[in-house]
Amino acid sequence: MKEFIVSTIFSFILYGCHSQTNNQKIVGGPCEGCEALLEYEEESLNSTDTLPGFQPNGPKVHLYGTVFHNNGKTPAKDVIVYIYHTNREGIYETTGKEKGWGKRHGFIRGWIKTGENGRYDFYTFKPASYPNTTISQHIHMTVKESDTNPYYIDNVIFTDDPLLTRSEIENQKNRGGSGVTTPKKESESALVKVKRDIILGKNIPDY
């Protein structure tokens, strides 16, 4: 616990200094764990990422979409998208070697950075609901534009999830656009396609 607190404080300091140095616009309101978006270790990101656990687990999911500017029409370049989710038992699985927010988010997570066309693609698998709860299956998403701090958008949720209720759908905040998705099976493939477009700043406080 002590190591996690120290790591979190360090991430906060690092993130805060980074924001001030670049005069980033602070948007989105409180966001516990949004600093995790900055924890990618690769020197460079591209528009496609395959999450750990993709090969051995199923249903296999191709989560994709386009990141648009606030007008909802123009593709947005150089936007980082971070996702994480539970394993097939509903747990944020760890190996014991995680650092920073990986200790809470687990190792089933990934990052991309959009190109000119704003497209992103994640290859992962469908998460399970938290054990002994009625919370629907979901994938967490955080985004960062070049001139803002990281901010969270609506989770990806699935219309074929038996735990998803009409009330939950109607009460979505639509942060970054709708996260309600309808999975579609790819013909002659084990992949389930899940489309979630992102509109930067939509329903984001202080944007």
Side-chain angles (χ1 to χ4, degrees):
M1 182 65 180
K2 182 178 179 181
E3 291 181 358
F4 175 76
I5 294 174
V6 171
S7 177
T8 302
I9 292 173
F10 176 76
S11 296
F12 177 78
I13 293 172
L14 178 65
Y15 162 67
C17 292
H18 181 76
S19 297
Q20 293 175 7
T21 301
N22 293 281
N23 295 317
Q24 293 183 335
K25 183 179 180 182
I26 306 301
V27 302
C31 181
E32 182 181 8
C34 274
E35 303 95 329
L37 180 142
L38 301 172
E39 292 181 338
Y40 57 90
E41 297 180 357
E42 295 83 358
E43 293 184 3
S44 62
L45 300 175
N46 58 45
S47 62
T48 301
D49 192 20
T50 300
L51 272 64
F54 171 70
Q55 290 297 338
N57 289 291
K60 298 185 188 302
V61 169
H62 176 197
L63 173 61
Y64 70 101
T66 301
V67 181
F68 294 102
H69 285 290
N70 194 234
N71 61 16
K73 297 179 181 179
T74 309
K77 180 185 177 183
D78 293 334
V79 175
I80 298 174
V81 181
Y82 166 66
I83 70 169
Y84 69 99
H85 62 77
T86 64
N87 63 15
R88 291 301 299 159
E89 284 71 53
I91 303 298
Y92 294 108
E93 187 176 356
T94 61
T95 64
K97 298 180 180 180
E98 287 76 19
K99 300 178 181 179
W101 283 97
K103 294 182 179 180
R104 288 196 181 183
H105 294 179
F107 66 81
I108 305 169
R109 57 182 189 157
W111 295 259
I112 63 88
K113 188 173 187 179
T114 60
E116 294 283 353
N117 63 2
R119 169 87 177 204
Y120 75 88
D121 296 87
F122 286 108
Y123 291 89
T124 186
F125 59 92
K126 203 170 185 183
S129 177
Y130 300 145
N132 303 313
T133 73
T134 57
I135 297 174
S136 61
Q137 303 161 355
H138 57 279
I139 296 176
H140 296 276
M141 301 192 83
T142 306
V143 302
K144 184 187 182 306
E145 305 169 54
S146 60
D147 60 350
T148 71
N149 58 291
Y151 58 90
Y152 74 91
I153 60 176
D154 275 12
N155 296 335
V156 173
I157 53 179
F158 311 97
T159 56
D160 63 354
D161 180 358
L163 292 177
L164 183 64
T165 64
R166 173 56 55 184
S167 175
E168 182 178 353
I169 293 175
E170 292 175 349
N171 287 319
Q172 294 297 299
K173 302 298 184 182
N174 288 324
R175 288 176 61 113
S178 176
V180 180
T181 68
T182 300
K184 296 181 179 180
K185 186 75 161 52
E186 264 191 348
S187 60
E188 300 180 4
S189 170
L191 279 176
V192 175
K193 295 181 73 68
V194 175
K195 184 178 181 181
R196 200 278 197 227
D197 288 335
I198 298 169
I199 302 176
L200 298 173
K202 184 171 184 178
N203 297 318
I204 302 299
D206 303 316
Y207 193 83

